[in-house]
Amino acid sequence: MGEGGDSSAPGSEQLRLQLGQEKQMKEMLELSIFELRNTITELEKRLSSVEDEGNEWKTRYETQVELNRQLERQTGLLQEKMEHIRGNPTDRLSSIRSFDQMPVSSLNQLLKQLEEEKRSLQNQLKDYELRLEQEVKTSATLKIAEKQKTDAVQFERENQILRRRHNVPENQRILDPKKGPIKKTAGVKQLPKLKH
């Protein structure tokens, strides 16, 4: 009879160990499910932000295509001007002769026109440089914002994992684990009045 009692004790101990292991497995599975749900939520958020970025990149692409068209037109016009100035390819001095034959007032007018074109092209160049700088800054800002988002999500995930491991409820702060969570009455919003 003593042996029968001894054999039941190890059996119950084994059942307790199995129960403890099952509880640990259950906690691990719950934690995994929680992490997977957070990952799904995070991926859905990224998907929506990627769609927004797609619109931004589409706009940038269209702007660049239009800019390329304008530059191609300008290149064609400049090539035509070069051919006109060159005149007859067999006569290298034809452009100089044409300027020699022009009156001074026409030459001054041509000079003003060329200076205006030069200023216009310089201004366009400055505009393109500014746009390029802004695009670089925007790209860098987007990268930084994305990094901050991923860091915040990672921090929140780690924080939730630690809370689960140590059985700390999310909505309650604990100063002293022995005393329990802070009571709502402990946070006094108004100080008592002083007696004079």
Side-chain angles (χ1 to χ4, degrees), residues 59-112:
T59 305
R60 287 183 182 183
Y61 171 77
E62 291 170 352
T63 304
Q64 186 65 44
V65 168
E66 182 60 32
L67 184 63
N68 289 349
R69 285 186 196 138
Q70 290 176 0
L71 290 174
E72 286 173 2
R73 279 187 230 129
Q74 287 179 355
T75 303
L77 290 173
L78 291 174
Q79 285 176 346
E80 287 176 13
K81 287 182 182 180
M82 290 290 292
E83 289 174 10
H84 176 69
I85 290 173
R86 286 183 187 149
N88 187 358
T90 58
D91 186 7
R92 301 272 183 203
L93 301 175
S94 65
S95 63
I96 297 173
R97 285 191 195 120
S98 67
F99 290 132
D100 283 341
Q101 295 170 358
M102 291 176 76
V104 175
S105 62
S106 296
L107 287 173
N108 285 335
Q109 188 178 7
L110 181 63
L111 180 63
K112 287 179 183 178

Side-chain angles (χ1 to χ4, degrees), residues 2-196:
E3 287 182 32
D6 290 342
S7 65
S8 66
S12 64
E13 187 63 33
Q14 186 177 10
L15 288 175
R16 282 189 204 131
L17 286 173
Q18 287 178 349
L19 181 63
Q21 289 174 348
E22 290 293 324
K23 285 182 180 180
Q24 286 179 343
M25 287 294 285
K26 181 182 175 187
E27 287 176 4
M28 288 176 17
L29 288 174
E30 287 175 351
L31 183 61
S32 295
I33 291 170
F34 178 75
E35 289 175 359
L36 287 173
R37 286 183 181 153
N38 285 340
T39 303
I40 290 171
T41 305
E42 179 185 331
L43 289 174
E44 288 172 347
K45 288 178 184 177
R46 281 189 185 173
L47 176 63
S48 65
S49 69
V50 166
E51 290 172 355
D52 294 340
E53 286 179 9
N55 292 336
E56 178 184 341
W57 286 109
K58 181 179 178 184
T59 305
R60 287 183 182 183
Y61 171 77
E62 291 170 352
T63 304
Q64 186 65 44
V65 168
E66 182 60 32
L67 184 63
N68 289 349
R69 285 186 196 138
Q70 290 176 0
L71 290 174
E72 286 173 2
R73 279 187 230 129
Q74 287 179 355
T75 303
L77 290 173
L78 291 174
Q79 285 176 346
E80 287 176 13
K81 287 182 182 180
M82 290 290 292
E83 289 174 10
H84 176 69
I85 290 173
R86 286 183 187 149
N88 187 358
T90 58
D91 186 7
R92 301 272 183 203
L93 301 175
S94 65
S95 63
I96 297 173
R97 285 191 195 120
S98 67
F99 290 132
D100 283 341
Q101 295 170 358
M102 291 176 76
V104 175
S105 62
S106 296
L107 287 173
N108 285 335
Q109 188 178 7
L110 181 63
L111 180 63
K112 287 179 183 178
Q113 181 184 356
L114 291 173
E115 286 176 350
E116 286 177 15
E117 286 182 25
K118 179 184 173 184
R119 271 188 247 116
S120 173
L121 291 172
Q122 286 174 337
N123 287 337
Q124 279 184 335
L125 179 62
K126 288 179 184 177
D127 286 343
Y128 295 147
E129 287 173 347
L130 287 174
R131 282 186 190 177
L132 183 61
E133 285 179 26
Q134 289 173 349
E135 290 291 327
V136 168
K137 288 178 184 177
T138 302
S139 176
T141 303
L142 289 173
K143 287 179 184 177
I144 290 170
E146 185 63 28
K147 174 93 170 103
Q148 289 174 344
K149 283 181 186 177
T150 55
D151 289 348
V153 168
Q154 182 66 21
F155 175 76
E156 184 62 30
R157 185 182 304 138
E158 289 172 0
N159 191 12
Q160 290 172 347
I161 290 170
L162 288 174
R163 285 179 181 267
R164 291 250 180 191
R165 284 185 184 160
H166 299 291
N167 295 327
V168 176
E170 287 186 40
N171 58 354
Q172 295 179 344
R173 297 180 306 159
I174 297 177
L175 290 179
D176 187 1
K178 293 178 184 175
K179 294 182 180 177
I182 298 174
K183 296 180 182 176
K184 290 184 179 181
T185 57
V188 179
K189 293 181 181 177
Q190 191 174 21
L191 295 172
K193 294 181 180 181
L194 296 173
K195 295 180 184 178
H196 298 287

